[in-house]
Amino acid sequence: MRIFRGTDAALHWREDGDPQGMPVVFANSLGTDLRLWDGIIDLLSPDLRLVRFDKRGHGLSSRPPGPYSIGDLAGDTAELLDQINAGPCVFVGLSIGGMIAQALAASRPDLVRAAVLSNTAAKIGTPEMWQERIDAVEAGGIEALADGVMDRWFSPEFLETDELILWRNMLTGTPPAGYAACCAAVASADLAESTSRLRQPVLGIAGTLDLATPPELVAETTALVTGSKFTEIPGVGHLPCVEAPEHYAGIISDFIEEVRP
Protein backbone atom coordinates (compact mmCIF):
# COMPACT_ATOMS: atom_id res chain seq x y z
CA MET A 1 0.00 0.00 0.00
CA ARG A 2 1.22 3.49 -0.84
CA ILE A 3 0.06 6.93 0.20
CA PHE A 4 0.54 10.26 -1.55
CA ARG A 5 0.18 13.45 0.47
CA GLY A 6 -1.38 16.09 -1.73
CA THR A 7 -2.30 19.68 -0.99
CA ASP A 8 -5.78 18.87 0.30
CA ALA A 9 -5.97 15.08 0.46
CA ALA A 10 -3.81 12.00 0.99
CA LEU A 11 -4.50 9.37 -1.66
CA HIS A 12 -4.03 5.62 -1.34
CA TRP A 13 -2.67 4.21 -4.58
CA ARG A 14 -1.04 1.14 -6.03
CA GLU A 15 0.88 0.15 -9.10
CA ASP A 16 0.95 -3.09 -11.11
CA GLY A 17 2.68 -4.20 -14.28
CA ASP A 18 5.90 -2.72 -15.66
CA PRO A 19 7.07 0.40 -13.76
CA GLN A 20 8.75 1.58 -16.98
CA GLY A 21 5.74 0.89 -19.19
CA MET A 22 3.20 3.28 -20.69
CA PRO A 23 0.97 4.43 -17.82
CA VAL A 24 -2.70 3.50 -17.71
CA VAL A 25 -4.55 5.11 -14.80
CA PHE A 26 -7.89 3.94 -13.40
CA ALA A 27 -10.45 6.00 -11.46
CA ASN A 28 -13.28 4.11 -9.80
CA SER A 29 -16.95 4.78 -9.24
CA LEU A 30 -18.88 6.27 -6.34
CA GLY A 31 -19.01 3.83 -3.44
CA THR A 32 -16.13 1.61 -4.61
CA ASP A 33 -12.38 1.60 -4.05
CA LEU A 34 -9.43 0.64 -6.24
CA ARG A 35 -10.36 -3.05 -5.94
CA LEU A 36 -13.02 -2.31 -8.57
CA TRP A 37 -10.35 -3.07 -11.18
CA ASP A 38 -9.02 -6.33 -9.68
CA GLY A 39 -10.77 -8.47 -12.29
CA ILE A 40 -9.12 -6.85 -15.31
CA ILE A 41 -5.57 -6.05 -14.17
CA ASP A 42 -4.16 -9.48 -14.98
CA LEU A 43 -5.96 -9.44 -18.34
CA LEU A 44 -4.04 -6.41 -19.60
CA SER A 45 -0.60 -6.42 -21.22
CA PRO A 46 2.21 -6.95 -18.67
CA ASP A 47 4.28 -4.22 -20.33
CA LEU A 48 1.88 -1.50 -19.12
CA ARG A 49 2.24 0.54 -15.95
CA LEU A 50 -1.16 0.19 -14.26
CA VAL A 51 -1.96 2.81 -11.62
CA ARG A 52 -5.06 2.78 -9.39
CA PHE A 53 -6.09 5.03 -6.53
CA ASP A 54 -8.85 5.72 -4.04
CA LYS A 55 -10.33 9.17 -4.57
CA ARG A 56 -10.72 11.36 -1.48
CA GLY A 57 -13.44 10.19 0.88
CA HIS A 58 -13.16 6.58 -0.31
CA GLY A 59 -11.15 3.48 0.53
CA LEU A 60 -7.95 4.19 2.43
CA SER A 61 -7.59 7.79 1.22
CA SER A 62 -8.18 10.73 3.55
CA ARG A 63 -11.57 12.31 4.08
CA PRO A 64 -11.31 16.10 4.05
CA PRO A 65 -14.54 17.92 4.91
CA GLY A 66 -17.05 18.17 2.06
CA PRO A 67 -18.71 19.00 -0.12
CA TYR A 68 -16.28 18.21 -2.93
CA SER A 69 -16.30 19.24 -6.58
CA ILE A 70 -15.16 17.33 -9.64
CA GLY A 71 -12.45 19.97 -9.89
CA ASP A 72 -11.23 18.99 -6.41
CA LEU A 73 -11.07 15.34 -7.39
CA ALA A 74 -9.33 16.08 -10.69
CA GLY A 75 -6.88 18.32 -8.85
CA ASP A 76 -5.99 15.54 -6.41
CA THR A 77 -5.46 13.21 -9.35
CA ALA A 78 -3.23 15.66 -11.20
CA GLU A 79 -1.04 16.09 -8.13
CA LEU A 80 -0.69 12.32 -7.79
CA LEU A 81 0.20 11.79 -11.44
CA ASP A 82 2.71 14.64 -11.36
CA GLN A 83 4.35 13.21 -8.24
CA ILE A 84 4.69 9.66 -9.57
CA ASN A 85 5.48 10.75 -13.15
CA ALA A 86 2.51 8.91 -14.65
CA GLY A 87 1.70 11.21 -17.51
CA PRO A 88 0.81 11.30 -20.28
CA CYS A 89 -1.41 8.31 -19.54
CA VAL A 90 -4.41 6.51 -20.90
CA PHE A 91 -6.98 7.44 -18.25
CA VAL A 92 -9.82 4.98 -17.64
CA GLY A 93 -12.62 6.46 -15.55
CA LEU A 94 -15.89 4.80 -14.55
CA SER A 95 -18.95 6.81 -13.42
CA ILE A 96 -17.64 9.63 -11.18
CA GLY A 97 -14.21 8.37 -12.27
CA GLY A 98 -15.25 9.18 -15.84
CA MET A 99 -16.16 12.69 -14.75
CA ILE A 100 -12.68 12.98 -13.23
CA ALA A 101 -11.29 11.76 -16.55
CA GLN A 102 -13.16 14.47 -18.47
CA ALA A 103 -12.12 17.24 -16.08
CA LEU A 104 -8.48 16.12 -15.97
CA ALA A 105 -8.23 15.77 -19.75
CA ALA A 106 -9.59 19.31 -20.12
CA SER A 107 -7.52 20.99 -17.40
CA ARG A 108 -4.28 19.02 -17.79
CA PRO A 109 -4.07 17.69 -21.35
CA ASP A 110 -0.37 17.09 -20.79
CA LEU A 111 -1.30 14.29 -18.36
CA VAL A 112 -3.92 12.53 -20.50
CA ARG A 113 -2.87 10.90 -23.77
CA ALA A 114 -6.32 9.35 -24.27
CA ALA A 115 -9.42 8.75 -22.16
CA VAL A 116 -11.87 5.91 -21.65
CA LEU A 117 -15.22 7.27 -20.46
CA SER A 118 -16.93 4.25 -19.00
CA ASN A 119 -20.52 4.29 -17.73
CA THR A 120 -20.38 8.03 -17.20
CA ALA A 121 -21.62 11.32 -18.60
CA ALA A 122 -20.89 15.02 -18.64
CA LYS A 123 -23.89 15.46 -16.35
CA ILE A 124 -25.42 12.67 -14.27
CA GLY A 125 -28.84 13.06 -12.69
CA THR A 126 -30.18 16.27 -11.15
CA PRO A 127 -29.09 18.30 -8.13
CA GLU A 128 -32.40 17.43 -6.48
CA MET A 129 -31.85 13.69 -6.95
CA TRP A 130 -28.36 13.87 -5.47
CA GLN A 131 -29.55 15.97 -2.55
CA GLU A 132 -32.14 13.31 -1.76
CA ARG A 133 -29.36 10.73 -1.70
CA ILE A 134 -27.17 12.91 0.52
CA ASP A 135 -30.09 13.44 2.91
CA ALA A 136 -30.76 9.70 3.02
CA VAL A 137 -27.12 8.91 3.82
CA GLU A 138 -27.00 11.54 6.53
CA ALA A 139 -30.21 10.20 8.06
CA GLY A 140 -29.70 6.44 7.78
CA GLY A 141 -26.21 5.74 6.49
CA ILE A 142 -25.34 4.06 3.21
CA GLU A 143 -27.10 0.87 4.30
CA ALA A 144 -30.41 2.63 3.67
CA LEU A 145 -29.50 2.99 -0.03
CA ALA A 146 -27.62 -0.22 -0.61
CA ASP A 147 -30.26 -2.45 -2.20
CA GLY A 148 -31.39 0.26 -4.59
CA VAL A 149 -27.81 0.97 -5.60
CA MET A 150 -27.17 -2.72 -6.31
CA ASP A 151 -30.21 -2.74 -8.61
CA ARG A 152 -28.74 0.17 -10.58
CA TRP A 153 -25.24 -1.27 -10.64
CA PHE A 154 -25.83 -4.84 -11.76
CA SER A 155 -27.82 -6.99 -14.14
CA PRO A 156 -30.65 -9.15 -12.77
CA GLU A 157 -28.50 -12.23 -13.34
CA PHE A 158 -25.58 -10.86 -11.31
CA LEU A 159 -27.92 -9.84 -8.49
CA GLU A 160 -28.55 -13.55 -7.88
CA THR A 161 -24.86 -14.41 -7.35
CA ASP A 162 -22.98 -14.66 -4.06
CA GLU A 163 -20.42 -12.17 -5.41
CA LEU A 164 -23.03 -9.46 -4.97
CA ILE A 165 -22.36 -9.62 -1.22
CA LEU A 166 -18.79 -8.40 -1.77
CA TRP A 167 -19.86 -5.34 -3.74
CA ARG A 168 -22.68 -4.49 -1.37
CA ASN A 169 -20.21 -4.68 1.52
CA MET A 170 -17.75 -2.45 -0.35
CA LEU A 171 -20.49 0.13 -0.85
CA THR A 172 -21.71 0.09 2.75
CA GLY A 173 -18.11 0.18 4.00
CA THR A 174 -17.51 3.51 2.24
CA PRO A 175 -17.22 6.39 4.73
CA PRO A 176 -20.68 8.05 4.68
CA ALA A 177 -19.26 11.57 4.82
CA GLY A 178 -16.93 10.86 1.90
CA TYR A 179 -19.74 9.27 -0.09
CA ALA A 180 -22.04 12.24 0.52
CA ALA A 181 -19.29 14.73 -0.34
CA CYS A 182 -18.69 12.96 -3.67
CA CYS A 183 -22.44 12.91 -4.33
CA ALA A 184 -22.27 16.69 -4.02
CA ALA A 185 -19.45 16.75 -6.57
CA VAL A 186 -21.57 14.90 -9.13
CA ALA A 187 -24.61 17.04 -8.33
CA SER A 188 -22.80 20.27 -9.16
CA ALA A 189 -21.03 19.04 -12.30
CA ASP A 190 -21.94 19.82 -15.90
CA LEU A 191 -18.87 19.13 -18.00
CA ALA A 192 -20.40 19.32 -21.47
CA GLU A 193 -18.65 22.51 -22.53
CA SER A 194 -15.14 21.49 -21.49
CA THR A 195 -15.60 17.91 -22.71
CA SER A 196 -16.67 19.15 -26.14
CA ARG A 197 -13.27 20.86 -26.44
CA LEU A 198 -11.24 17.69 -25.80
CA ARG A 199 -8.91 16.70 -28.61
CA GLN A 200 -7.46 13.50 -27.17
CA PRO A 201 -8.69 10.14 -28.45
CA VAL A 202 -11.78 9.15 -26.45
CA LEU A 203 -13.58 5.83 -26.12
CA GLY A 204 -17.00 5.59 -24.48
CA ILE A 205 -18.16 2.31 -22.95
CA ALA A 206 -21.70 1.54 -21.76
CA GLY A 207 -23.50 -1.47 -20.32
CA THR A 208 -26.79 -2.20 -22.04
CA LEU A 209 -28.53 -2.82 -18.68
CA ASP A 210 -26.99 0.13 -16.83
CA LEU A 211 -29.71 1.97 -14.92
CA ALA A 212 -27.34 4.56 -13.41
CA THR A 213 -25.87 5.87 -16.68
CA PRO A 214 -27.93 4.36 -19.52
CA PRO A 215 -26.20 3.72 -22.85
CA GLU A 216 -27.84 6.69 -24.56
CA LEU A 217 -26.45 9.03 -21.88
CA VAL A 218 -22.92 7.65 -22.27
CA ALA A 219 -23.22 7.86 -26.06
CA GLU A 220 -24.38 11.47 -25.88
CA THR A 221 -21.35 12.49 -23.84
CA THR A 222 -18.92 10.51 -25.98
CA ALA A 223 -20.32 12.20 -29.09
CA LEU A 224 -19.31 15.59 -27.70
CA VAL A 225 -15.70 14.72 -28.58
CA THR A 226 -14.77 14.92 -32.25
CA GLY A 227 -13.51 11.59 -33.57
CA SER A 228 -14.51 9.63 -30.48
CA LYS A 229 -15.60 5.99 -30.47
CA PHE A 230 -18.43 4.33 -28.54
CA THR A 231 -19.24 0.73 -27.72
CA GLU A 232 -21.77 -1.17 -25.63
CA ILE A 233 -21.28 -4.35 -23.64
CA PRO A 234 -24.46 -6.44 -23.72
CA GLY A 235 -26.14 -7.86 -20.64
CA VAL A 236 -24.26 -5.89 -17.99
CA GLY A 237 -25.02 -2.95 -15.76
CA HIS A 238 -23.04 -0.03 -14.36
CA LEU A 239 -19.83 -1.94 -13.55
CA PRO A 240 -18.96 -3.95 -16.69
CA CYS A 241 -15.40 -4.49 -15.45
CA VAL A 242 -16.98 -6.64 -12.72
CA GLU A 243 -19.64 -8.46 -14.73
CA ALA A 244 -17.71 -8.96 -17.98
CA PRO A 245 -13.98 -8.49 -17.19
CA GLU A 246 -12.68 -10.34 -20.26
CA HIS A 247 -14.87 -8.36 -22.65
CA TYR A 248 -14.07 -5.09 -20.89
CA ALA A 249 -10.31 -5.75 -20.79
CA GLY A 250 -10.35 -6.67 -24.47
CA ILE A 251 -12.01 -3.39 -25.44
CA ILE A 252 -9.55 -1.37 -23.37
CA SER A 253 -6.55 -3.33 -24.67
CA ASP A 254 -7.53 -2.65 -28.28
CA PHE A 255 -7.92 1.06 -27.53
CA ILE A 256 -4.55 1.21 -25.75
CA GLU A 257 -2.86 -0.33 -28.77
CA GLU A 258 -4.47 2.27 -31.02
CA VAL A 259 -3.13 5.20 -28.98
CA ARG A 260 0.32 3.91 -28.06
CA PRO A 261 3.04 6.39 -29.06
Side-chain angles (χ1 to χ4, degrees):
M1 294 187 290
R2 304 184 187 186
I3 199 77
F4 163 69
R5 287 185 174 272
T7 301
D8 298 313
L11 300 185
H12 169 231
W13 68 285
R14 68 169 290 168
E15 182 176 87
D16 296 277
D18 181 356
Q20 304 305 315
M22 186 183 78
V24 181
V25 179
F26 298 87
N28 47 280
S29 58
L30 184 67
T32 67
D33 58 37
L34 55 74
R35 292 173 292 177
L36 176 68
W37 308 102
D38 281 355
I40 70 166
I41 292 298
D42 290 342
L43 301 176
L44 300 175
S45 175
D47 69 347
L48 297 170
R49 182 187 181 194
L50 306 174
V51 175
R52 299 179 272 167
F53 65 97
D54 294 335
K55 61 187 165 292
R56 63 164 73 184
H58 283 64
L60 300 182
S61 292
S62 65
R63 308 160 196 172
Y68 308 152
S69 70
I70 296 299
D72 293 332
L73 302 176
D76 294 341
T77 307
E79 287 190 336
L80 170 65
L81 300 190
D82 280 335
Q83 177 65 31
I84 66 174
N85 193 29
C89 68
V90 176
F91 197 99
V92 182
L94 193 153
S95 195
I96 189 175
M99 300 185 100
I100 295 170
Q102 294 170 69
L104 184 67
S107 64
R108 290 291 307 274
D110 58 307
L111 290 177
V112 181
R113 180 188 307 279
V116 177
L117 306 182
S118 178
N119 305 80
T120 191
K123 181 176 177 58
I124 301 176
T126 64
E128 294 77 16
M129 180 203 84
W130 288 108
Q131 189 58 53
E132 288 178 4
R133 188 176 297 193
I134 292 168
D135 292 343
V137 169
E138 291 177 345
I142 298 177
E143 178 65 38
L145 305 173
D147 290 337
V149 171
M150 293 299 102
D151 289 341
R152 290 190 295 275
W153 277 8
F154 296 116
S155 66
E157 182 178 356
F158 190 88
L159 291 172
E160 299 300 319
T161 68
D162 287 342
E163 189 178 345
L164 179 74
I165 298 169
L166 301 175
W167 297 99
R168 193 182 190 283
N169 289 345
M170 184 183 292
L171 171 67
T172 58
T174 302
Y179 183 89
C182 283
C183 285
V186 179
S188 63
D190 186 344
L191 307 174
E193 183 179 355
S194 58
T195 296
S196 69
R197 297 197 301 268
L198 296 182
R199 293 296 175 262
Q200 300 97 322
V202 165
L203 169 67
I205 301 177
T208 58
L209 302 182
D210 186 352
L211 299 181
T213 51
E216 57 271 20
L217 185 64
V218 184
E220 180 182 335
T221 292
T222 305
L224 293 173
V225 183
T226 302
S228 62
K229 298 182 178 182
F230 173 74
T231 189
E232 296 181 12
I233 300 179
V236 302
H238 192 54
L239 306 180
C241 52
V242 173
E243 292 197 68
E246 293 85 1
H247 194 161
Y248 194 88
I251 291 170
I252 290 177
S253 294
D254 290 345
F255 182 66
I256 290 170
E257 291 307 312
E258 289 177 11
V259 301
R260 274 187 188 268

